[in-house]
Amino acid sequence: MISTLPGRSYTDPEVFAEEQAKIFETLWFCAVRAEDLPKPGAFKTVQAGRESVLVVRGRDDRLRAFLNVCRHRGAQLCVEAQGEVKRTIRCAYHAWSYDLDGRLAAAPNLAKMPDIDRVEYGLVPVHLREWLGYAWVCLAAEPPSFEETVTSAATERLGDPAAIERYHVDKLALGRRIVYDVRANWKLIVENFMECYHCATIHPELTAVLPEFAGGYAAQYYVGHGAEFADRAEGFTVDGSRGFGKLPDVSQDQDRRYYAITVKPQVFVNLVPDHVIMHRMYPMAADRTVVECDWLYHPDVIASGADLSLSVELFHRVNEQDFDACERTQPGMSSRAYRDGGVLVPSEHHISLFHQWVNQRLRG
Ligand code: FES
């Protein structure tokens, strides 16, 4: 019998702080959708590990990331989750101002402070890479290989490096975004996403479109496997009605199939022929995780003003059903009944690989 992690892994603030330090502040973290920052000066702030990270588009059109902390006395620079500055990022405390590339641009009486170097006292940069149309940041001084820790997840799962490229996720347009504030530990959400033992119980709409899920084996159980649509399902919609037609380069063998990829530690990618669903988790506390979910479509679909509601509703229901289950589970993690953890049945055995990965990260 394979056991799960013990209950305290999901509740103990010390374990959570260690995960923040050794997982979320060490690995690549999917921060923002690039199209959310369409022009120079547009910014977003996100919580990555214990840090607030500021992602801003520069005048050269490049995205950059910085710690969202003023170098003078440490005030938080941008307090809004999203906004736009004109020329500089200005601290609201004593008015130090930073260029969009992070250099200290101006400060009251700066001319009388020759020991203040504009680069040395510029914003602290954070590593940034773009993939799938998202800015991924890494707080480590020396980030791990992006290819080995991020893009390889898609190759390992789909068995073909080109398979995800055919969806052109970076060129898709945002159709809908829903933010879920989930009262559960981030690992419960990952574990839930990885298995489908629960699908027959809580996902009637999903199993109607993907009947093999009712058997309990998630698409993620097998390499390269996409779950086939039911014969009667015309599209990946809440009522099985037709969606928007296959994305142009999606291959025939990818058509009428659903693929799911977990990019550890905080991203789930769902691929269906006519859209892509991207989940990003922002762990806020041992028992709280904010999940931002984007539904992405071909730009022509968005430009046409098409009604996305039946398309969005399917996975929105799945999300609500999943997060409800995770919230139902979270209190049990503190119970004596779960002190030594629970059990993984055969269709959940692959979750133990995730547990091994977490343990290795925390030991390292
Ligand atoms: Fe920012 Fe003083 S703390 S200018």
Coordinates of all heavy atoms in Angstrom, one line a residue, residues 196-197 199-200 207 210-218 347:
C196 N -7.7 11.0 -11.6 CA -9.1 11.0 -12.0 C -9.9 10.0 -11.3 O -11.0 9.7 -11.7 CB -9.1 10.8 -13.5 SG -10.5 11.8 -14.3
Y197 N -9.4 9.5 -10.2 CA -10.2 8.5 -9.4 C -11.5 9.2 -8.9 O -12.5 8.5 -8.7 CB -9.3 8.1 -8.2 CG -9.8 7.0 -7.3 CD1 -10.3 5.8 -7.9 CD2 -9.6 7.1 -5.9 CE1 -10.7 4.8 -7.0 CE2 -10.1 6.1 -5.1 CZ -10.6 4.9 -5.7 OH -11.0 3.9 -4.9
C199 N -13.1 11.4 -10.7 CA -13.9 12.0 -11.8 C -15.3 11.5 -11.9 O -16.3 12.3 -12.1 CB -13.2 11.8 -13.1 SG -11.7 12.8 -13.3
A200 N -15.5 10.2 -11.7 CA -16.8 9.6 -11.8 C -17.8 10.2 -10.7 O -19.0 10.3 -10.9 CB -16.8 8.1 -11.7
T207 N -17.0 13.9 -17.5 CA -17.0 12.5 -17.9 C -18.0 12.2 -19.0 O -17.9 11.2 -19.8 CB -17.3 11.5 -16.7 OG1 -18.5 12.0 -16.0 CG2 -16.2 11.5 -15.7
L210 N -15.7 13.2 -21.8 CA -14.5 12.3 -21.8 C -14.8 11.0 -21.0 O -14.5 10.9 -19.9 CB -13.3 13.0 -21.2 CG -12.9 14.4 -21.8 CD1 -11.8 15.0 -20.9 CD2 -12.4 14.2 -23.2
P211 N -15.5 10.1 -21.7 CA -16.0 8.9 -20.9 C -15.0 8.1 -20.3 O -15.2 7.5 -19.2 CB -16.8 8.1 -22.0 CG -16.6 8.8 -23.3 CD -15.9 10.1 -23.1
E212 N -13.8 8.0 -20.8 CA -12.8 7.1 -20.2 C -12.4 7.6 -18.8 O -11.9 6.9 -18.0 CB -11.5 7.0 -21.1 CG -10.7 8.3 -21.1 CD -9.4 8.1 -21.9 OE1 -9.5 7.8 -23.1 OE2 -8.3 8.2 -21.3
F213 N -12.6 8.9 -18.5 CA -12.3 9.4 -17.2 C -13.2 8.8 -16.1 O -12.8 8.8 -14.9 CB -12.5 11.0 -17.1 CG -11.3 11.7 -17.7 CD1 -10.2 11.0 -18.3 CD2 -11.2 13.1 -17.5 CE1 -9.2 11.7 -18.8 CE2 -10.1 13.8 -18.0 CZ -9.1 13.1 -18.6
A214 N -14.3 8.3 -16.5 CA -15.2 7.6 -15.5 C -14.5 6.4 -14.9 O -14.8 5.9 -13.8 CB -16.5 7.3 -16.1
G215 N -13.5 5.8 -15.7 CA -12.8 4.7 -15.2 C -11.8 5.0 -14.1 O -11.2 4.1 -13.6
G216 N -11.5 6.3 -13.9 CA -10.6 6.6 -12.8 C -9.2 6.9 -13.2 O -8.4 7.3 -12.4
Y217 N -8.8 6.6 -14.5 CA -7.4 6.8 -14.9 C -7.3 8.1 -15.7 O -7.9 8.3 -16.7 CB -6.9 5.6 -15.8 CG -6.6 4.4 -14.9 CD1 -7.7 3.5 -14.5 CD2 -5.4 4.2 -14.4 CE1 -7.4 2.5 -13.7 CE2 -5.1 3.1 -13.6 CZ -6.1 2.2 -13.3 OH -5.9 1.2 -12.4
A218 N -6.6 9.0 -15.1 CA -6.4 10.3 -15.7 C -5.5 10.3 -16.9 O -4.7 9.3 -17.1 CB -5.7 11.3 -14.7
S347 N -4.8 3.6 -9.3 CA -4.9 4.7 -10.3 C -4.4 6.0 -9.8 O -4.4 7.0 -10.6 CB -6.4 4.9 -10.7 OG -7.2 5.2 -9.6

